[in-house]
Amino acid sequence: MAVPATQEGSSRASATPTPKGAWKITFLLFLFMLVNFADKIVVGLAGVPIMTELNLNAEQFGLLGSSFFLLFSVAAIVVGFVVNRVPTRWVLLVLALIWALAQFPMVGTIGFTTLLVCRIILGAGEGPAASVAVHAVYKWFPDEKRAMPTAILSQGSAFGVILAVPALNWVIVNHGWHYAFGALGIVGLMWSAAWLWLGREGPLAEVELAASREQRVPYLQLLTSRTFVGCVAATFGAYWALSLGLTWFTPFLVKGLGFSQQEAGFISILPWIFGACVVLTTGFVSQLLMARGVSTRMARGVLGATPLIVGGILMATTPHVDGAGAKIALLVVGSGLCGSIYVVCPPMIGEFTPVAQRGAAMAIYGALYTLAGIVAPVVMGKMIQSSASLLEGYMSGYTINAVIMVISGLLGLALLWPNTERARLRAHQAVAPEFA
């Protein structure tokens, strides 16, 4: 039976206390994700000045947005296997240094090609970030206590935008977009210094590893399990919306709705504020439900996938309402609801993946769903370029986003059954030769 297997894993997790220093590491990794998303948002925030100075059309700017994700997935997979053997402490430090150094060339006068290459390098450095951070924090918390740390890491993305957008926008308006990149480089170096001083490896990894040596699962079985496929499918739709928010939301406010750069900077943080509320609420509710004995199918799977469907439906109505305020409100709520899936999928994968393989599994998961980041900005650029008006092009792009969100959410509802996945994989192992 699947339930006893899950209960067995849960009882082991609940019997393991949270080590001293776990929340300090969680806070440092929260700041790590904050810097990560500040780096991501800067091109979208400075989109109009960049397009103006470099004389870029919509398709070229869409390509610039997508270039960030060109090596994103490849790097995520490679580093995912590295962290199965190398301490995450040192991997995180190297990633942060790459981010910082990739920003400084933009301080000078550059062309489109230099900007493109630097974004590709930055994307390669940031591709593994989320999965490595999650893998690192899971070395400090047992399974039943992972929902809130995961939610807090997710909040690094929201606060990275909420805090960075006003500051970076002020730099852009008063000193030019070049210096916004330089400021991010300095912040990246500051985090690297703090992590070198305070960062530590979690002590629970060795405990979990000793308990799970006999449970190593072939990667083919892990990656084709229905819950893993469901996580990839559901998060793909959420990341489509996120990548459009990173690249196109501020230009949409300026060019599509007529707001000034300064006004657009303040409006741009609204989806992230709402998303932060969604993420924290999801983490709290998920952990509360699990404490009351609710299955992870409901407390994680259904809880994470349903908001995707609701958000997609709301976003689909955006072209059919009048007024800038109504359109912004629907986009803010629709995209913000996507945040739930980021909270629940990593713990679900962690439920049935042996710790010795978790780093790679998390990385492959991240590499697959972030492929949406390559496609979404280009699709929006093509919609804008080929439409009769800017606003019509934006609305076509957001309608495509809405359809993808609804389909992704439905796939999530159908496929996310983490509470039975461990037993299913063990049963499969019993009749199949083991390899990894």
Side-chain angles (χ1 to χ4, degrees):
M1 291 290 290
V3 173
T6 304
Q7 288 173 343
E8 178 190 357
S10 297
S11 64
R12 283 198 304 266
S14 59
T16 306
T18 302
K20 183 180 179 181
W23 290 107
K24 177 186 73 175
I25 296 298
T26 302
F27 177 69
L28 286 170
L29 293 175
F30 163 83
L31 294 178
F32 176 79
M33 294 306 298
L34 187 152
V35 176
N36 176 281
F37 268 77
D39 289 343
K40 285 184 174 75
I41 194 68
V42 66
V43 161
L45 186 62
V48 174
I50 288 173
M51 284 190 278
T52 301
E53 181 176 325
L54 302 183
N55 195 27
L56 306 181
N57 60 34
E59 284 194 49
Q60 288 174 311
F61 186 70
L63 176 62
L64 179 62
S66 295
S67 69
F68 178 83
F69 297 96
L70 186 63
L71 297 179
F72 198 91
S73 297
V74 174
I77 293 173
V78 171
V79 175
F81 282 95
V82 169
V83 295
N84 282 347
R85 293 171 171 81
V86 177
T88 51
R89 179 189 181 190
W90 303 116
V91 175
L92 290 164
L93 179 63
V94 171
L95 293 178
L97 289 172
I98 291 172
W99 306 352
L101 297 176
Q103 303 289 8
F104 291 118
M106 269 73 77
V107 175
T109 302
I110 61 167
F112 177 63
T113 301
T114 302
L115 180 56
L116 198 70
V117 170
C118 287
R119 293 300 287 180
I120 291 172
I121 293 171
L122 180 65
E126 296 203 352
S131 58
V132 175
V134 168
H135 183 51
V137 86
Y138 282 6
K139 295 180 179 183
W140 291 88
F141 293 90
D143 179 62
E144 287 191 345
K145 299 179 182 179
R146 287 172 179 168
M148 281 308 296
T150 305
I152 290 169
L153 290 192
S154 296
Q155 286 318 287
S157 62
F159 280 90
V161 176
I162 293 168
L163 299 178
V165 163
L168 292 174
N169 202 51
W170 181 87
V171 175
I172 292 166
V173 170
N174 292 280
H175 301 285
W177 63 270
H178 297 273
Y179 287 99
F181 285 88
L184 289 172
I186 293 171
V187 170
L189 291 178
M190 291 171 63
W191 186 89
S192 299
W195 181 253
L196 184 62
W197 178 35
L198 299 171
R200 297 291 182 271
E201 199 74 7
L204 295 187
E206 292 302 319
V207 175
E208 287 184 305
L209 189 60
S212 65
R213 288 189 190 279
E214 77 287 358
Q215 300 172 10
R216 194 171 179 88
V217 178
Y219 280 107
L220 181 62
Q221 291 178 29
L222 280 175
L223 305 183
T224 57
S225 64
R226 70 179 180 185
T227 300
F228 186 89
V229 173
C231 280
V232 171
T235 318
F236 182 92
Y239 209 80
W240 189 290
L242 184 145
S243 60
L244 289 185
L246 292 170
T247 306
W248 280 110
F249 190 57
T250 305
F252 164 66
L253 295 172
V254 176
K255 290 194 168 185
L257 298 181
F259 289 95
S260 69
Q261 176 70 34
Q262 191 166 9
E263 292 169 333
F266 287 108
I267 298 171
S268 293
I269 67 174
L270 295 179
W272 303 92
I273 294 174
F274 180 73
C277 297
V278 169
V279 165
L280 288 176
T281 301
T282 301
F284 174 78
V285 172
S286 176
Q287 202 151 305
L288 181 65
L289 290 174
M290 289 186 64
R292 295 182 176 181
V294 176
S295 71
T296 52
R297 157 68 179 168
M298 299 300 298
R300 287 173 175 171
V302 174
L303 183 66
T306 303
L308 265 174
I309 301 170
V310 177
I313 293 170
L314 290 175
M315 189 177 288
T317 65
T318 305
H320 309 291
V321 299
D322 296 323
K327 291 183 185 297
I328 291 170
L330 288 169
L331 290 176
V332 166
V333 177
S335 60
L337 286 172
C338 293
S340 292
I341 201 68
Y342 298 110
V343 180
V344 298
C345 276
M348 282 193 284
I349 294 172
E351 279 187 61
F352 58 86
T353 304
V355 66
Q357 298 168 275
R358 189 175 62 204
M362 292 289 186
I364 294 168
Y365 156 68
L368 293 173
Y369 79 70
T370 55
L371 291 173
I374 297 176
V375 184
V378 170
V379 169
M380 179 65 89
K382 288 185 178 296
M383 291 297 101
I384 296 168
Q385 197 72 19
S386 61
S387 297
S389 68
L390 277 174
L391 186 58
E392 181 183 330
Y394 280 112
M395 292 300 97
S396 296
Y398 282 121
T399 299
I400 293 171
N401 187 181
V403 172
I404 290 171
M405 284 172 58
V406 171
I407 294 173
S408 296
L410 291 172
L411 287 172
L413 279 181
L415 297 173
L416 296 176
W417 291 81
N419 55 317
T420 62
E421 203 70 80
R422 183 200 298 260
R424 186 183 301 113
L425 288 171
R426 285 178 176 175
H428 196 289
Q429 277 185 278
V431 297
E434 184 173 354
F435 63 92

